[in-house]
Amino acid sequence: MNTTKTELPVPAWANRVAHAIPLVALPVCVWRLPVIGHGMGGEPLSPTVGHIAYVVALSVLSEIAALLSFGLVRDWGERVPAWVPRLRGKRIPPAAALVPATAGGLVLTAILGVWLYDALTFGPEAWPYAPGWNVLAMTVSGLMNLWGPLVLILAYAYHRRRVTAVRNGC
């Protein structure tokens, strides 16, 4: 069922995938915040303004990037929103969404490959965290590593809806 004003209906599963992406990124974004003032291995660091700003900005920007996946299932991924001067209402070429989504999905999936290799080869010792924290690190980073494949799945659905269906006259 299409709950948005997209040109062609968005499959319900694609809408669920778009909702899942910010949720798989959120645990890492939240987990980073208490690390302010500590190194990734748990050793104390002086919590400089730069370090605090970096960790907070990384968490906020990661979640914003994850939220951009909604552009693949919403009308603002097909037409420029009305609040954008001069461009409002113009059709967005599918490649403008597909190229960055596919590139980002491939990069994140490559990171997943490295993460899986490390997890399967070294187990919890692959992460430089204090004892006990490495299991939490593996769990939250493992969730975030689903981001890449989910974006690729969503990009495929967007392509089928915007390019293939249009090409076939739907």
Side-chain angles (χ1 to χ4, degrees):
M1 182 171 141
N2 187 12
T3 58
T4 64
K5 297 174 184 164
T6 55
E7 292 174 8
L8 295 171
V10 174
W13 66 264
N15 201 26
R16 285 192 295 273
V17 168
H19 280 82
I21 291 172
L23 294 176
V24 299
L26 187 60
V28 167
C29 294
V30 171
W31 176 66
R32 281 186 199 121
L33 298 177
V35 178
I36 295 173
H38 293 82
M40 296 309 284
E43 68 279 357
L45 297 174
S46 58
T48 64
V49 173
H51 184 237
I52 293 169
Y54 167 74
V55 173
V56 171
L58 183 61
S59 292
V60 170
L61 291 175
S62 295
E63 202 53 38
I64 289 171
L67 289 168
L68 286 175
S69 63
F70 281 109
L72 298 172
V73 295
R74 298 288 188 265
D75 59 335
W76 54 271
E78 297 178 1
R79 296 209 172 271
V80 177
W83 57 267
V84 178
R86 292 189 210 149
L87 298 176
R88 67 179 53 121
K90 290 195 180 208
R91 195 173 193 319
I92 296 172
L98 284 170
V99 170
T102 303
L106 289 172
V107 167
L108 291 169
T109 301
I111 292 169
L112 167 63
V114 172
W115 182 90
L116 274 174
Y117 173 79
D118 287 346
L120 295 173
T121 305
F122 305 108
E125 288 76 36
W127 286 268
Y129 304 102
W133 287 99
N134 50 10
V135 174
L136 178 61
M138 287 177 67
T139 304
V140 297
S141 61
L143 272 174
M144 188 167 186
N145 279 308
L146 296 174
W147 185 357
L150 289 174
V151 168
L152 290 175
I153 290 167
L154 206 54
Y156 174 73
Y158 181 88
H159 178 270
R160 286 199 34 110
R161 188 169 49 83
R162 296 239 19 236
V163 178
T164 307
V166 172
R167 203 178 288 151
N168 293 335
C170 293

